[in-house]
Amino acid sequence: MFPIMPGEANSLSGGLGDLRPNHFHAGIDIRTAQREGLEVYAAADGYVSRIAVFTGGYGNVIFIKHPNGLTTVYGHLKTLNDTLAQFLRAGQYKKQSFEIDLRPEPNQFPVKKGEIIALSGNTGGSGGPHLHFEIRDDKNNLLNPLLFGFQEIEDELPPFFEQIALQPLTPSSRVNGQAGRLPLTPIRRPNGDWVLTQPISASGLLGLEVLAHDRTSGSPFKNGLTCIEIQLDNREVFAYNMNNFPNEETRLINLHMNYGVEQLTGQRFHRCYIADGNTLDLYRYNQTRGKLPLFDGQSHEVTITLYDCSQHTTTLRFTVNPEAENSPIAKLTPSKLPTALFSSVEENTLIIRARNLPTATAPTAQVYLSGATLDAPVQYIRANEAYYVVDLQKHLPDSVQIGRTVLPLNFKKRILPGQSAAYKDSSITVTFPSESLYDTLHLAVSHGGNRVSINQGTIPLNDFFEVNFLPTEPLENSGKTQVYLVSGNRKSYVGGFWKENRFIFKARQFGTFQLLTDLKPPVVKILRKDYTAIVATVKDDLSGLDTIRALVNGEWILMQYDYKRALIWSDKLDPTKPFEGTLVLEVKDRAGNLTTVTAQLPPAPRPVAVDSAAVSDKEN
């Protein structure tokens, strides 16, 4: 049965396989009228196999194992029913931990279909009140709940396009005369047809990407797609089908979608070809693995068909014309401003962009390699900027010079996936275990002062790599100094530790890392303290909170925590026992700064003594 408001029409704010940061969405998000506290029902007979509490992610979550081998999951719960809540609370007190993952014995907590197991909420990483609901098989594959015949969800709406993109996949490939990725916006005509209004020309090997969504009836939220099919000249070259997927492979989403574009813009494009390292079993594809081979100088028709779970379809057809051969390089409008150089890496292609060149004819770029120099002629002009292309599979440049302007590139070494490897110089060692990479990495490293830059944050990683470097700038307090991933004004805690005069840290994302010192302890503000409850706000401005510990007369007290509201509140093991005596609240951040707040709790009101003799006289 439907796990919330069964028998009533409902809609979704998320579907199976929606593209999320570092994971495919594992189930459906059922709307709860923007409210918490709705009754959540067991979808079928079974027993509770797991109860957990996470600060982020699922929040409060219940897993139910069913006799047919399936497991249903209910996430972001506000509270559990009395029996399960008592078991959970006892486990938290025994471990003295808010976060916990409990596995009851089989049939310790049997449930019947339709039994109330919890109330819906907004705990964990939820962005608003809803019920997250999953169905898993006995191999932990995630199944699409909408294929189980729930009548509460109606879908009369077809999928829709937002954008598509064409990505040149080799240094010699071009689309509309350029080596970089070309986004395009389909337009929906009044008759319902989708078209591209911009002409397209291309040559070489291209990858097609799709940014598209679905909606269920009655919902404004964008959901994912069930299927995408790509045809080239009426022959299928690629198909993606999301009706189930293995939970342990969810991080491979970073190869399914264009991870670099997601990091830069937040847009999550489906790659409609198989990227190197992608082993997901969600596809059908031809001998080119879905890539479009446009080498013959002919026009080709591309057809994209989107499907939702109800088999509604949306189709876009467009023609790709051949690129003009031997087109002359356009002239520049000379500039008196200082020349500026920029670089980007797309697939295995290094693209150099030169702005404000002083001459009408773009000069040849000097690409400096280890012990050699490569002349790179301009490839094309766009918006009065000159573009140059270098094949990173052949060359790893140290820097590039155009005119008098030099751009450091800092490429050091190729690192292959599936092999342990390292780069080392006198001040830094970067180590990659065999499971770190999905694809060949053109390692770029720069280090100065207390800052280290390793490639760009647009390259996905499967697992952690390690950095061991020698800082050269003085530190205010090395004991409270750790590494942060920095981008603009954003600083994300990474951590690490000192070993003699060197600092060592592990990361699962590329970018710029900097040693920063956190001397400010967390800020704690008590909002309520009496015999019934303790409530406070807890905040930290840099390294982030590490531990929260509350004691009343030396006895550990469970504090529930909602990071979205920076709020903690007490949850008694024995609700009838009043809080009395001394409260000690300790909050520590990840740099080791500790804030301790001590307060006396007011005594609980005492029952008024009754004089039985006086009562007897009054009655007489």
Side-chain angles (χ1 to χ4, degrees):
M1 67 179 289
F2 204 59
I4 197 161
M5 296 185 288
E8 299 182 31
N10 208 320
S11 60
L12 305 180
S13 58
L16 181 81
D18 292 359
L19 307 186
R20 303 286 178 90
N22 295 315
H23 71 285
F24 292 100
H25 189 234
I28 58 175
D29 287 341
I30 307 170
R31 302 174 73 195
T32 57
Q34 299 179 330
R35 292 184 291 136
E36 299 182 41
L38 277 65
E39 294 174 337
V40 177
Y41 302 92
D45 293 354
Y47 63 86
V48 175
S49 59
R50 183 181 179 189
I51 301 172
V53 175
F54 302 105
T55 300
Y58 289 110
N60 301 332
V61 61
I62 294 173
F63 291 66
I64 296 178
K65 183 79 171 179
H66 303 284
N68 60 2
L70 299 181
T71 296
T72 51
V73 182
Y74 312 76
H76 307 309
L77 304 171
K78 181 178 182 180
T79 56
L80 314 188
N81 70 23
D82 289 345
T83 301
L84 299 180
Q86 184 177 357
F87 173 77
L88 169 61
R89 193 179 301 111
Q92 290 172 304
Y93 269 87
K94 182 178 180 180
K95 189 181 177 183
Q96 295 194 0
S97 174
F98 163 66
E99 287 201 327
I100 198 164
D101 194 347
L102 300 172
R103 310 296 173 104
E105 293 295 323
N107 295 311
Q108 182 177 353
F109 298 111
V111 295
K112 290 292 185 181
K113 177 180 177 179
E115 182 178 338
I116 297 172
I117 58 171
L119 298 180
S120 67
N122 187 33
T123 56
S126 171
H130 70 276
L131 175 68
H132 175 85
F133 179 63
E134 298 176 13
I135 301 178
R136 304 185 181 194
D137 67 14
D138 57 358
K139 296 180 180 178
N140 209 30
N141 293 311
L142 292 148
L143 312 180
N144 192 342
L146 297 184
L147 298 178
F148 284 75
F150 295 122
Q151 300 300 310
E152 289 82 356
I153 302 299
E154 295 184 1
D155 182 7
E156 299 298 330
L157 303 174
F160 59 95
F161 288 95
E162 281 195 22
Q163 282 189 321
I164 68 168
L166 289 168
Q167 172 72 65
L169 298 177
T170 66
S172 61
S173 299
R174 297 289 183 271
V175 56
N176 282 9
Q178 65 186 42
R181 179 177 178 273
L182 177 68
L184 300 156
T185 302
I187 303 298
R188 187 177 184 271
R189 287 178 170 168
N191 65 358
D193 291 343
W194 289 84
V195 297
L196 291 177
T197 58
Q198 179 180 349
I200 304 171
S201 63
S203 65
L205 191 65
L206 300 184
L208 176 63
E209 301 174 6
V210 171
L211 178 63
H213 308 280
D214 186 39
R215 284 193 179 101
T216 56
S217 299
S219 174
F221 295 96
K222 298 175 182 177
N223 298 336
L225 302 169
T226 298
C227 180
I228 305 173
E229 291 181 354
I230 308 298
Q231 291 186 343
L232 181 65
D233 299 325
N234 296 317
R235 293 184 179 180
E236 183 180 280
V237 295
F238 175 88
Y240 157 77
N241 194 298
M242 174 52 78
N243 279 325
N244 61 79
F245 69 92
N247 189 43
E248 65 273 10
E249 295 184 3
T250 192
R251 192 174 174 86
L252 283 169
I253 189 175
N254 291 331
L255 295 182
H256 171 78
M257 68 179 177
N258 188 323
Y259 179 82
V261 170
E262 188 236 12
Q263 291 296 300
L264 293 172
T265 70
Q267 295 176 313
R268 299 185 182 118
F269 281 78
H270 294 267
R271 276 179 169 148
C272 296
Y273 61 94
I274 309 301
D276 291 344
N278 186 353
T279 57
L280 284 168
D281 189 21
L282 301 176
Y283 314 105
R284 293 192 312 268
Y285 49 86
N286 65 353
Q287 64 273 17
T288 63
R289 299 169 64 83
K291 300 168 185 177
L292 306 180
L294 307 180
F295 296 102
D296 58 5
Q298 303 295 315
S299 294
H300 296 275
E301 185 179 70
V302 177
T303 304
I304 307 171
T305 305
L306 313 176
Y307 296 81
D308 66 14
C309 193
S310 300
Q311 295 301 300
H312 300 117
T313 63
T314 298
T315 299
L316 169 67
R317 292 184 180 88
F318 59 93
T319 299
V320 180
N321 295 311
E323 284 275 288
E325 295 184 5
N326 302 318
S327 298
I329 303 296
K331 296 295 183 181
L332 293 162
T333 300
S335 174
K336 295 182 180 180
L337 296 173
T339 298
L341 303 182
F342 308 89
S343 69
S344 63
V345 176
E346 299 188 18
E347 299 295 324
N348 293 305
T349 301
L350 171 66
I351 301 175
I352 305 295
R353 178 165 55 95
R355 179 186 297 169
N356 302 329
L357 289 171
T359 58
T361 300
T364 297
Q366 304 298 308
V367 180
Y368 296 106
L369 312 171
S370 179
T373 302
L374 172 71
D375 289 340
V378 64
Q379 295 295 306
Y380 53 92
I381 305 294
R382 287 289 184 278
N384 207 42
E385 295 180 342
Y387 285 77
Y388 304 79
V389 172
V390 178
D391 186 349
L392 291 178
Q393 291 183 311
K394 297 179 179 179
H395 310 288
L396 282 181
D398 298 321
S399 60
V400 62
Q401 181 173 350
I402 300 176
R404 297 180 179 180
T405 304
V406 176
L407 176 67
L409 297 170
N410 301 309
F411 287 106
K412 305 296 184 183
K413 185 178 182 178
R414 288 188 188 89
I415 308 292
L416 301 179
Q419 302 178 17
S420 299
Y423 165 78
K424 183 176 183 179
D425 64 25
S426 60
S427 63
I428 188 169
T429 300
V430 185
T431 304
F432 294 90
S434 60
E435 299 300 316
S436 295
L437 302 177
Y438 291 118
D439 194 8
T440 299
L441 173 69
H442 309 293
L443 178 65
V445 178
S446 63
H447 169 222
N450 295 340
R451 179 178 285 228
V452 174
S453 292
I454 302 175
N455 286 84
Q456 298 173 337
T458 53
I459 301 172
L461 280 163
N462 180 50
D463 212 338
F464 290 87
F465 66 97
E466 182 179 277
V467 177
N468 180 323
F469 76 104
L470 179 66
T472 58
E473 293 179 353
L475 297 166
E476 184 176 359
N477 185 328
S478 62
K480 296 186 183 297
T481 298
Q482 292 166 300
V483 158
Y484 296 76
L485 181 66
V486 296
S487 177
N489 293 323
R490 291 185 301 172
K491 303 175 181 68
S492 302
Y493 177 86
V494 175
F497 61 93
W498 291 94
K499 187 173 183 179
E500 297 177 349
N501 62 341
R502 299 177 73 92
F503 198 85
I504 301 171
F505 67 93
K506 292 183 178 181
R508 207 176 187 181
Q509 185 174 353
F510 290 127
T512 298
F513 303 89
Q514 185 171 352
L515 284 173
L516 297 173
T517 302
D518 182 2
L519 298 176
K520 292 183 179 180
V523 176
V524 179
K525 182 179 180 181
I526 295 180
L527 304 180
R528 177 181 175 182
K529 54 177 180 63
D530 56 37
Y531 69 96
T532 60
I534 301 163
V535 183
T537 57
V538 289
K539 299 178 182 179
D540 190 74
D541 68 345
L542 184 56
S543 61
L545 298 178
D546 184 24
T547 60
I548 299 169
R549 188 166 181 258
L551 303 171
V552 173
N553 286 340
E555 182 179 331
W556 186 86
I557 302 298
L558 171 63
M559 300 299 289
Q560 302 285 353
Y561 175 42
D562 182 355
Y563 76 92
K564 298 187 289 288
R565 296 183 292 166
L567 190 70
I568 59 173
W569 63 97
S570 58
D571 191 350
K572 295 179 180 179
L573 181 62
D574 180 358
T576 66
K577 183 179 178 180
F579 289 136
E580 291 184 307
T582 302
L583 165 67
V584 178
L585 185 56
E586 299 173 344
V587 182
K588 185 169 67 174
D589 66 20
R590 289 184 285 193
N593 299 301
L594 177 66
T595 295
T596 301
V597 177
T598 302
Q600 289 300 123
L601 297 170
R606 303 300 180 190
V608 177
V610 178
D611 187 334
S612 58
V615 171
S616 177
D617 290 343
K618 187 175 181 180
E619 289 176 348
N620 293 331

